[in-house]
Amino acid sequence: MLSLPLPLLLFGVVFRPFVGAASFCTKADQCALDAISQAPAAQARYDHTRIYSVELATATQVGIMQALEEASDSCGFMGHARMPGQKLTIMVTGHKVADFDDLLHTYNISHRILNYNFQELIDANYLEVAPENTPAEEFDWKRYFQLDNIYGWLEKLERDHPEVVKVLDIGLSTQGLPIKGVKLAFGGENLTSVFIESGIHAREWIAPATATYFIDQLLHSKDSAVRALARSQNWFIFPSVNPDGYRYSFTGDRMWRKNRQIFGICRGVDLNRNFPLSWNTTGASGNPCKYDFSGPAAASEVETQRIMQFLETHVESERIRTYLSLHSYSQLIMFPYGHTAERVENYADLKEIGRLAAARIKELTGRVYKSGSIYETIYPSSGGSKDWAHSQLKVPITFTFELRGPPDSQEMFILSAKEIEPTAREAFAAVQTIVEEAAKRGYYQ
């Protein structure tokens, strides 16, 4: 009798081993080894997982949600419960929906159900991924692309434009994948540089797609204003600074966020909590099983170290004066700090530049983006890359984008591929505004 593998429930997510055609062997041990070597990796599923938007009205309700987040591995919180008046998005696995619903009604917590079966979104999203054998000549912004496809496209750009494009490899990740980006330089004298980091959170696929759109526009746009922008700066753009996590979001778990470092029974450090500025002081966890685990020490992760080393080496020689970080979702344009309400020295300039960038998006596509400091705008968080770059390297123009969708998005990080081009187009227009407004204020002199 053929024994079929059973689904495995781990940390509230169902992993279903793939069952292919049966093969027969004479030795049981060898049969087991063959099955292990031939079977694809298990893939997380979110069948009947619901997405809730809850609004916390009282301190008691805040305390209930804090206790739930700490105790449950079946409820995924997008942010932490902190204060009355706060809205939270919470992902609840199917077998806990009844318990969660009971909790909401028992404590009279206002809520909406945004999605009743999250796996349907994921299944549709995977169908929007270009095949791995897609030639670099067919790279586009109508589909999502895996890591090797992105790197292949970058290398093609270098071959096609050797006088402008240089592929950069800043070192290997935790699992030995290269962290690659490009430098775009059209040859101007004494230029300042823009550094763009993307994909530090693996599940935010729209971020690498937007970064590659930026590269394409800077290289190929015929628009005179874009051509002037491209030539006004040198550009360092890294589409995926968390390559292990990004790869795993295609092969293992679409909702994976962290890198893939192992810590006993759990994996991963949130690299955007791992930088050495007020490390692990707020909005981060010391538990490696949590989504925002800040790591065993500040700058413990090789991916963090690679970014830091590159910037420390090049911030002066390349005159890096702008640092941009691409994330999703919530439609925000934010500047430092995340760990404190203390205002940076150029708060007024960043506030106004962010406001103008958001206004440019609304004019272009009608989408509403909010701008402000990270601490004021989204939630307190420490150990972020942009805060470190601003504070420690004195990079004055520092912004984080939370791209589409809106804060109460039903899709969260699972943005349809039809949204890639409009999302990237509006973000690029905002970047153009940021650079132009910073130049007007003398930041690039």
Side-chain angles (χ1 to χ4, degrees):
M1 181 177 178
L2 181 64
S3 177
L4 298 179
L6 297 175
L8 172 66
L9 180 66
L10 183 62
F11 306 122
V13 176
V14 178
F15 288 79
R16 299 185 186 278
F18 175 82
V19 181
S23 59
F24 297 91
C25 49
T26 56
K27 294 183 179 180
D29 288 348
Q30 185 59 48
C31 207
L33 288 172
D34 288 348
I36 291 170
S37 64
Q38 293 172 12
Q43 193 166 59
R45 291 191 62 84
Y46 294 83
D47 298 284
H48 309 298
T49 292
R50 291 187 180 184
I51 310 300
Y52 288 80
S53 174
V54 304
E55 186 167 359
L56 307 178
T58 68
T60 297
Q61 293 176 352
V62 171
I64 289 297
M65 287 296 119
Q66 289 173 339
L68 180 65
E69 183 181 10
E70 185 62 30
S72 177
D73 61 4
S74 300
C75 297
F77 282 65
M78 308 300 140
H80 302 289
R82 296 180 289 109
M83 65 184 72
Q86 181 185 2
K87 290 183 178 181
L88 277 176
T89 299
I90 304 172
M91 183 171 62
V92 183
T93 57
H95 75 288
K96 283 294 184 181
V97 162
D99 288 347
F100 186 75
D101 189 73
D102 177 64
L103 194 70
L104 294 176
H105 286 92
T106 298
Y107 291 95
N108 196 29
I109 298 175
S110 177
H111 65 279
R112 290 188 300 132
I113 301 174
L114 302 178
N115 188 285
Y116 284 86
N117 187 353
F118 200 57
Q119 186 61 41
E120 292 179 351
L121 283 177
I122 292 173
D123 289 342
N125 203 217
Y126 277 135
L127 293 176
E128 300 176 313
V129 176
E132 285 188 273
N133 62 356
T134 302
E137 292 77 14
E138 296 178 14
F139 197 91
D140 59 36
W141 292 271
K142 302 181 186 305
R143 300 169 290 176
Y144 288 105
F145 286 85
Q146 298 191 53
L147 187 72
D148 287 346
N149 297 111
I150 293 174
Y151 286 174
W153 180 70
L154 297 181
E155 287 155 4
K156 178 183 182 298
L157 293 180
E158 183 180 48
R159 292 193 301 272
D160 292 348
H161 308 277
E163 72 288 354
V164 175
V165 181
K166 180 181 180 181
V167 173
L168 305 173
D169 183 339
I170 63 173
L172 301 180
S173 66
T174 296
Q175 295 185 325
L177 294 177
I179 303 171
K180 290 186 178 182
V182 291
K183 177 183 179 181
L184 307 180
F186 288 87
E189 292 294 327
N190 200 33
L191 296 180
T192 52
S193 295
V194 177
F195 181 93
I196 301 178
E197 154 247 297
S198 175
I200 202 167
H201 289 151
R203 62 193 177 188
E204 298 166 9
W205 287 5
I206 187 60
T210 298
T212 57
Y213 180 92
F214 287 4
I215 294 168
D216 181 67
Q217 288 296 300
L218 292 166
L219 269 179
H220 298 130
S221 177
K222 304 301 183 186
D223 183 276
S224 59
V226 174
R227 290 172 62 84
L229 173 73
R231 287 154 179 79
S232 72
Q233 303 278 330
N234 292 326
W235 300 82
F236 294 89
I237 304 179
F238 289 82
S240 179
V241 296
N242 177 11
D244 299 343
Y246 186 65
R247 181 176 65 175
Y248 187 68
S249 70
F250 288 88
T251 62
D253 184 353
R254 177 63 185 85
M255 287 294 285
W256 190 257
R257 169 183 169 102
K258 304 183 286 182
N259 77 352
R260 294 292 295 160
Q261 183 62 271
I262 185 74
F263 298 94
I265 63 170
C266 295
R267 278 192 187 269
V269 170
D270 182 343
L271 299 173
N272 205 40
R273 302 292 185 274
N274 191 235
F275 283 77
L277 181 71
S278 299
W279 174 79
N280 200 33
T281 55
T282 185
S285 174
N287 181 348
C289 297
K290 297 296 186 180
Y291 74 92
D292 56 355
F293 175 48
S294 58
S300 59
E301 303 310 292
V302 295
E303 295 88 352
T304 308
Q305 294 163 17
R306 304 299 187 215
I307 297 169
M308 290 175 60
Q309 289 163 2
F310 180 84
L311 286 165
E312 288 168 343
T313 300
H314 294 92
V315 67
E316 290 304 327
S317 62
E318 295 286 353
R319 303 186 67 221
I320 297 172
R321 300 293 180 265
T322 304
Y323 188 111
L324 304 176
S325 181
L326 302 181
H327 290 255
S328 75
Y329 62 102
S330 285
Q331 296 177 193
L332 303 171
I333 302 173
M334 303 179 294
F335 51 86
Y337 288 118
H339 64 279
T340 177
E342 176 187 344
R343 293 184 170 184
V344 295
E345 68 287 344
N346 60 337
Y347 177 95
D349 280 350
L350 295 179
K351 180 78 171 176
E352 180 61 11
I353 292 170
R355 185 191 69 79
L356 291 169
R360 178 70 181 104
I361 289 176
K362 190 169 191 305
E363 177 188 359
L364 184 67
T365 65
R367 286 282 177 149
V368 176
Y369 279 63
K370 182 180 178 182
S371 184
S373 79
I374 300 164
Y375 191 94
E376 297 167 344
T377 307
I378 188 166
Y379 45 66
S381 62
S382 56
S385 61
K386 57 280 177 190
D387 284 3
W388 173 82
H390 186 89
S391 175
Q392 303 302 301
L393 299 184
K394 308 303 179 186
V395 178
I397 304 301
T398 312
F399 284 94
T400 294
F401 282 75
E402 295 286 353
L403 301 166
R404 294 189 184 186
D408 59 350
S409 169
Q410 298 180 23
E411 295 83 17
M412 299 200 301
F413 308 101
I414 316 300
L415 198 65
S416 170
K418 71 177 183 292
E419 297 281 351
I420 295 173
E421 284 189 278
T423 301
R425 185 164 64 97
E426 68 194 15
F428 186 74
V431 170
Q432 185 171 359
T433 297
I434 288 169
V435 172
E436 290 172 350
E437 292 297 327
K440 289 178 185 177
R441 289 162 173 78
Y443 283 99
Y444 303 143
Q445 292 177 359

